[in-house]
């Protein structure tokens, strides 16, 4: 179906005509990562929860489907829409409603960006405990709907572990109110966890109670290189067990990513560092509050390294410039610019299996086509790898076989083919192959039971 | 319906005749806390997951309902059964299948007791990160099904945060296989969280992958007393932000519990300690691994205390005997023996509101009947209170009004009427009043969609 001018009037009546955005108005809104984010050509921007409910009720009565939009930074097509749908942009629901520095919780509207929430928490020395590169665009609602991860999950959990309570508008317009600010809640099925990671297919998240954690001050950053992943993991594990400091971040880059990114960014000094290593680790240490850190930390880290057979080399990065350069190697997408048609994967690997996994995938890819190049970076303590397969040729034809290579064996060893980027439309076919049939069947039954008209972000995650 | 001898033969064929327990055999099994735990007069003890599936399929074909049993230590009637049902006792599925000290995870069968799992982890210096007084009886499956909490939740999470993956037999006998050993999993709806806390009403948990945490060595225990809860909370919060040690446990007892328990247990020295305080805190400090602790910890704790207006008195407990006595005051149920007909409650309170909440409940109870006596202990950092209302008279007639007193206002301020003991049968009526109608409606829809015959622990949690 298509929506006509009478429909626009009805929606304008709910949110105000200036918040029904079409045509030229849309061009002024940031479309975000996915070109199909504004595929509906109609973005409605509610300003209150009651308006969200009214929009959903209006849509439910007409079986018009709804696509929620947060910061439009999703990587799996969860915000994609088409003509006849209503995209509901949550950016006007962006208030930080309450911060309790005493109780270490905050209640925020779902359209607030992570950056804005962190700015409101900073004066209290508190953080939402989640950190990823989209921080200034991504919204809390989007983070929750996608159960976002990032670089601090190993110590603070993913978004799921940061949510204490949640409010959402259901597919019939009714309000799911479960805005608890406490950890211990056993009041029947804990359905907030069903919304977390459901990518807007079960309801539209309107408010979130977040668990806060004291901000940690970083006081030392190291760049360490190892002959294998297992040694890098062992170092992180030992460092996490040490007293007197905390591991704040532990990001790994495997050889090809590290060396080629250094080349592309012309970071010669770093490139030379990489001559012998297979795995490169950025290890950042910190301490809570204003603690200035432990003078012995460096000695402790290198003592741990020397005890590992495959430790190759290590630097403590003393200047801000050095720290910035090392993080550029991790976060700059130079490789992706070099190979714009690469295939990205986001997998969790059984922590005991990372070396074996990467070796096996490299072998399988080489057998498939010697031109294929495997790159990997990862959140090491979570065993979450971002794997990219690149080549100078078009990979579209090989995609199914490459995907099979990358996913093979992950599930059997307790990993997961989809770690932190969600399913959206991009990984629906893989989902059907990678989870147990009983789980898929349960997902379908739940989706049908809760959204019988299939109007909440249809076509995403599960059919 | 009642089951006949042909049914017994069929069940014996599945699990072996010696594992279909009735009559005299039942008398030899520990019945556990709830007298109705063996109400079915029929306990079947499967030895493999395939046997669990066969039992469930057999029951599903006949619409016979199933009541899962773990350690029978539940406090809300989740294991209660009646004639015509099949109680499925999971105690034979008790293997620790895998421990990865490198990856900090373990995979166990659900019938293993927490104590047995901890014993298997101890040689590796690891723990499942959950601790409660039923540790030697309660099973991992029961802990997961009830999302158990306990004294370490504030730092390790409740059971929900300890589960990395899960396997369960569904109401049609099919197997939900989601036994991931990694934190980051976004493979569609994260349905393991639906089983966690569902008290056996959606499926029978057979295996669990647990996240492990290094064992912490306790090195100092304090008994501190304060004029109000807020100061005790502030102390815990400051101590948790300190470096060089970790808060392992922080259990609170309010005046009446503390003083009367000391009297009942004839702990005179402790009783005298309590003369001025309103809130008594057991604070236990520790450090990871073999670290012997921080000699300055005591000075640091008392410096923090002296900065708090309502700090009354404090002791560092130097001998094992002192530590044991203080924990007896917390864990011995002397008050419950004194008042065997007391009403127990298990609530999470908005951390900003505990003093106001307890004062208001005491006032309301006094208005209801001056003979009513309010007792409270709690897991302070979780704002989880175990509240008991006692009197020398029978409280049955007053129960609904007492319950209304205790629950009033909790939800509005972001707390939860049910923190860690679950719903079972005991709190079903309260659940209906204390959660949003939309949540209750969702629970019912999910239960019906996943268990259309209502054979999985029917009558518990939700109808």
């Amino acid at each position: 179906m298509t929506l006509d001018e009478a429909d626009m009037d009805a929606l304008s009546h709910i949110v105000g005509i200036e918040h029904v955005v079409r045509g030229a108005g849309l061009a002024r809104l940031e479309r975000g990562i996915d070109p199909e984010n504004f595929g509906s050509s109609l973005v409605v921007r509610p300003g209150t929860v009651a308006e969200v409910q009214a929009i959903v009720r209006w849509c439910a009565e007409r079986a018009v489907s709804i696509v929620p939009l947060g910061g439009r930074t999703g990587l799996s097509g969860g915000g994609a829409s088409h003509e006849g749908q209503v995209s509901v942009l949550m950016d006007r629901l962006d208030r930080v409603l309450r911060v309790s520095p005493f109780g270490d919780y905050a209640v925020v509207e779902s359209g607030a960006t992570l950056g804005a929430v962190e700015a409101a928490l900073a004066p209290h020395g508190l953080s939402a405990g989640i950190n990823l590169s989209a921080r200034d665009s991504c919204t809390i609602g989007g983070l929750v709907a996608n159960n976002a991860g990032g670089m601090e999950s190993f110590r603070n959990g993913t978004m799921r572990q940061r949510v204490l309570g949640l409010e959402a508008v259901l597919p019939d317009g009714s309000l799911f109110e479960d805005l608890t600010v406490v950890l211990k809640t056993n009041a029947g099925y804990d359905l907030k966890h069903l919304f977390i990671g459901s990518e807007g297919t079960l309801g539209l998240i309107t408010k979130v109670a977040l668990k806060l954690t004291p901000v940690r001050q970083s006081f030392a950053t190291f760049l360490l290189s190892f002959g294998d992943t297992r040694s890098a993991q062992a170092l992180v594990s030992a460092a996490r067990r040490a007293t007197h400091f905390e591991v704040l971040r532990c990001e790994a880059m495997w050889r090809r990513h590290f060396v080629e990114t250094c080349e592309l960014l012309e970071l010669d000094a770093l490139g030379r560092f990489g001559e012998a290593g297979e795995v490169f680790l950025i290890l950042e240490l910190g301490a809570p509050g204003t603690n200035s850190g432990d003078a012995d930390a460096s000695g402790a880290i290198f003592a741990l390294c020397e005890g590992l057979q495959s430790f190759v080399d290590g630097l403590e990065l003393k200047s801000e410039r050095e720290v910035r350069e090392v993080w550029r190697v991790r976060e700059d997408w130079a490789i992706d610019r070099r190979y714009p048609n690469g295939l990205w994967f986001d997998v969790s690997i059984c922590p005991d299996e990372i070396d074996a996994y990467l070796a096996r995938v490299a072998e399988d890819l080489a057998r498939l086509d010697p031109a294929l190049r495997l790159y990997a970076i990862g959140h090491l303590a979570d065993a979450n790898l971002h794997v990219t397969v690149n080549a100078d040729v078009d990979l579209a034809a090989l995609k199914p076989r490459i995907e099979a290579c990358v996913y093979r064996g992950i599930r059997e060893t307790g990993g997961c083919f989809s770690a932190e980027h969600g399913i959206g439309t991009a990984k629906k076919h893989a989902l059907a192959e990678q989870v147990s049939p009983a789980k898929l069947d349960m997902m379908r039954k739940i989706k049908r039971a809760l959204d019988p008209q299939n109007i909440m972000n249809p076509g995403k995650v599960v059919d």
Side-chain angles (χ1 to χ4, degrees), chain A:
Chain A
M1 71 172 290
T2 48
L3 298 173
D4 60 21
E5 288 309 308
D7 295 326
M8 297 305 135
D9 288 347
L11 290 168
S12 298
H13 189 72
I14 295 171
V15 295
I17 192 163
E18 67 277 29
H19 301 304
V20 175
V21 188
R22 294 188 290 166
L26 270 186
R28 285 191 295 272
L29 280 181
E30 175 59 55
R31 185 179 293 263
I33 287 175
D34 190 325
E36 292 177 52
N37 274 345
F38 293 162
S40 64
S41 308
L42 170 62
V43 171
V44 180
R45 300 169 65 215
T48 65
V49 174
E51 287 180 10
V52 178
Q53 291 184 272
I55 295 167
V56 174
R57 265 190 228 106
W58 184 89
C59 288
E61 280 162 17
R62 286 152 189 82
V64 168
S65 65
I66 293 166
V67 179
L69 287 177
R72 286 93 78 214
T73 56
L75 297 170
S76 303
S81 56
H82 56 72
E83 295 285 341
Q85 296 189 304
V86 177
S87 298
V88 179
L89 181 59
M90 301 298 282
D91 63 341
R92 292 178 63 219
L93 282 160
D94 66 347
R95 289 177 300 167
V96 175
L97 298 170
R98 187 171 179 196
V99 178
S100 170
F102 182 78
D104 288 338
Y105 67 87
V107 181
V108 306
E109 290 182 326
S110 61
T113 65
L114 176 59
V117 170
E118 289 289 273
L121 299 176
H124 304 288
L126 292 167
S127 161
I130 195 138
N131 190 7
L132 33 77
S133 52
R135 62 188 74 81
D136 293 321
S137 319
C138 66
T139 62
I140 297 296
L143 292 169
V144 174
N146 289 280
N147 184 26
M151 292 191 276
E152 300 184 2
S153 302
F154 73 94
R155 59 191 170 93
N156 294 329
T158 64
M159 201 64 199
R160 184 178 299 283
Q161 282 82 36
R162 309 311 304 162
V163 174
L164 292 170
L166 181 150
E167 180 193 86
V169 175
L170 302 183
D172 63 359
S174 64
L175 197 61
F176 174 86
E177 295 169 280
D178 194 17
L179 214 50
T180 47
V181 300
V182 289
L183 174 71
K184 289 186 178 174
T185 60
N186 278 315
Y189 306 159
D190 199 346
L191 298 181
K192 63 176 177 282
H193 286 285
L194 199 53
F195 293 104
I196 301 169
S198 68
E199 303 182 37
T201 60
L202 298 176
L204 229 155
I205 296 164
T206 48
K207 294 194 191 106
V208 180
L210 294 166
K211 184 176 167 182
L212 306 180
T213 186
V215 169
R216 262 62 176 167
Q217 296 300 329
S218 160
F219 66 74
T221 302
F222 302 84
L223 177 62
L224 305 168
S225 104
F226 301 87
D228 57 30
T229 312
R230 195 169 177 89
S231 296
Q233 292 173 280
L235 186 272
V236 170
S237 179
R240 292 187 69 195
R241 281 160 162 80
T243 48
H244 297 205
F245 59 77
E246 214 176 327
V247 174
L248 298 188
R249 296 199 273 184
C250 50
E251 293 294 305
M253 298 166 277
W254 280 265
R255 182 177 181 77
R256 184 174 278 159
H257 172 96
F258 182 81
V259 171
E260 293 189 20
T261 304
C262 288
E263 279 170 24
L264 289 165
L265 299 178
E266 297 180 1
L267 299 170
D268 298 340
L270 282 178
R272 278 197 301 279
F273 176 84
E275 272 162 25
E278 289 302 320
V279 184
F280 301 83
L281 176 69
I282 308 179
L283 184 76
E284 192 178 316
L285 304 184
T290 54
N291 193 291
S292 59
D294 185 328
D296 293 338
S298 178
I301 292 298
F302 286 112
L304 292 173
C305 284
E306 297 299 341
L308 295 164
Q309 214 174 357
S310 93
F311 173 63
V312 173
D313 204 354
L315 299 170
E316 181 174 356
L317 306 174
K318 297 284 192 180
S319 73
E320 269 190 47
R321 190 187 57 81
E322 286 176 310
V323 171
R324 207 169 41 238
E325 279 192 357
V326 164
W327 278 110
R328 261 189 83 196
V329 185
R330 167 63 182 80
E331 294 199 309
D332 192 296
W333 302 111
I335 302 279
D336 293 321
R337 290 192 297 273
R338 164 70 183 81
Y339 296 102
N341 300 314
L343 302 177
W344 296 359
F345 301 92
D346 160 46
V347 295
S348 283
I349 303 298
C350 171
D352 301 283
E353 303 288 336
I354 298 179
D355 283 311
Y357 169 78
L358 286 172
R360 202 268 305 147
V361 174
E363 233 171 76
D364 284 3
L365 289 175
R367 204 169 298 133
L368 199 56
D369 186 335
L372 297 176
R373 299 170 70 80
L374 177 68
Y375 296 80
I377 56 175
H379 308 300
L380 193 64
D382 288 319
N384 172 198
L385 307 191
H386 298 311
V387 167
T388 316
V389 179
N390 291 316
D392 280 316
V393 295
D394 183 14
L395 295 174
L398 277 177
K399 193 178 168 192
R401 291 166 72 191
I402 291 173
E403 198 173 276
C405 270
V406 173
Y407 291 156
R408 183 154 72 82
I410 290 179
R411 183 179 162 206
E412 291 72 10
T413 48
C416 187
F417 82 104
S418 171
E420 60 176 10
H421 295 167
I423 301 299
T425 52
K427 294 184 195 158
K428 260 172 69 181
H429 64 286
L431 180 74
E433 291 162 14
Q434 298 293 331
V435 303
S436 77
K439 176 173 170 175
L440 212 60
D441 181 56
M442 274 183 77
M443 285 175 57
R444 290 185 177 128
K445 284 176 176 162
I446 289 170
K447 171 71 173 168
R448 276 176 213 147
L450 302 183
D451 181 14
Q453 293 197 97
N454 194 24
I455 62 167
M456 273 292 171
N457 214 5
K460 316 294 165 60
V461 187
V462 66
D463 285 318

